[in-house]
Amino acid sequence: MSYSEKLNLEVGDMRTQAELARRKKELLEFFYDSTERCPVIAAVKNDEWLEKSSSSVCEIVYILYGNICTIRDIVHEIKKAGKMAVVHIDLISGLASKEISVDFIRKFTEADGIISTKPHLIKRANELGLFTIQRFFMLDTITFNNIKKHVRDTRPDVVEMMPAGLGKMIRYALEEVDGKPLVASGLVLDSDDVMGALSAGAIAVSTTNLEVWKSVE
């Protein structure tokens, strides 16, 4: 079975904990493999960028826009292009900050996973076998000191840190996230920022900067 086929398993095919664990393993393997081939993750925030992401070499796409009426179609376009679709659930209009929103994404879309800053949404997504990325905004030392506690509590598949340009902070954060892969994002101006984050230990960089998408082609 190809990676694309594995990532398109239907909800009804996963009724046991063993199947959920297997799916999570396959998604994480795909994430590692795809970021090794292309360490830039395309983040789309409108239909124009969605179209461009389909033809880019980026194999993972973050969805940063949409609403409850459009998210299914947006995800479908990404899956149709053979890419991994990850929904930033905090940014989808019409979805409340409650666990039922995760159930909605799981049941009514083909999404492979979610991004969220909210621990309870990450926990619910894990229960449903979705790939999980917990995002942290590095605003101050209090935020940084909370990373280890939150990661141990929610057990996301990937930790994401903003902004991407904090090389020293990335190195420190890697010591706190229990071996989870770390993605850097935010304020990515050029390929030098990508290389700086990767050199600091990030596994990939997500960005809405189309020029950076092109730099890896």
Side-chain angles (χ1 to χ4, degrees):
M1 184 183 292
S2 69
Y3 275 126
S4 179
E5 289 170 331
K6 288 176 180 177
L7 295 180
N8 279 311
L9 289 173
E10 295 295 331
V11 179
D13 293 333
M14 296 173 296
R15 296 188 176 92
T16 70
Q17 288 300 311
E19 288 170 328
L20 289 172
R22 176 174 56 82
R23 176 180 167 81
K24 291 279 278 186
K25 182 175 182 291
E26 290 165 352
L27 288 167
L28 190 56
E29 286 176 352
F30 181 83
F31 183 87
Y32 274 118
D33 289 344
S34 62
T35 52
E36 184 174 349
R37 290 187 293 267
C38 177
V40 172
I41 297 170
V44 299
K45 59 181 182 179
N46 56 48
D47 289 341
E48 179 185 355
W49 292 14
L50 174 65
E51 183 177 352
K52 291 181 183 298
S53 73
S54 296
S55 59
S56 76
V57 297
C58 304
E59 298 181 21
I60 303 169
V61 179
Y62 286 178
I63 301 167
L64 310 184
Y65 79 110
N67 57 56
I68 57 173
C69 296
T70 62
I71 189 61
R72 181 177 181 175
D73 292 337
I74 294 170
V75 171
H76 179 69
E77 287 302 308
I78 292 170
K79 295 302 296 176
K80 189 169 66 174
K83 300 178 186 293
M84 185 178 187
V86 185
V87 177
H88 195 322
I89 198 168
D90 302 348
L91 303 181
I92 306 304
S93 299
L95 291 182
S97 180
K98 298 179 187 283
E99 289 89 343
I100 192 66
S101 295
V102 182
D103 291 64
F104 174 86
I105 292 295
R106 186 70 190 91
K107 185 173 182 179
F108 295 107
T109 80
E110 303 168 75
D112 298 301
I114 69 160
I115 308 168
S116 182
T117 61
K118 299 175 173 60
H120 63 289
L121 298 187
I122 295 295
K123 283 184 175 180
R124 181 56 181 161
N126 281 333
E127 292 171 357
L128 296 177
L130 287 166
F131 189 76
T132 52
I133 301 175
Q134 186 162 3
R135 175 174 278 186
F136 294 93
F137 296 93
M138 291 297 101
L139 302 176
D140 51 34
T141 55
I142 295 175
T143 306
F144 176 78
N145 290 332
N146 280 332
I147 288 179
K148 189 171 186 176
K149 172 183 176 295
H150 284 303
V151 169
R152 284 186 173 177
D153 185 41
T154 60
R155 303 180 66 82
D157 295 304
V158 174
V159 173
E160 182 158 310
M161 192 184 81
M162 300 182 72
L166 301 177
K168 183 182 290 187
M169 187 65 74
I170 291 172
R171 286 189 285 271
Y172 282 128
L174 283 169
E175 298 176 3
E176 304 295 327
V177 297
D178 294 333
K180 304 289 185 183
L182 189 143
V183 172
S185 64
L187 300 177
V188 180
L189 301 180
D190 51 36
S191 57
D192 287 343
D193 288 335
V194 174
M195 295 308 299
L198 297 177
S199 297
I203 192 173
V205 173
S206 73
T207 179
T208 58
N209 188 328
L210 274 67
E211 294 304 313
V212 174
W213 299 3
K214 296 175 184 177
S215 71
V216 295
E217 294 179 352

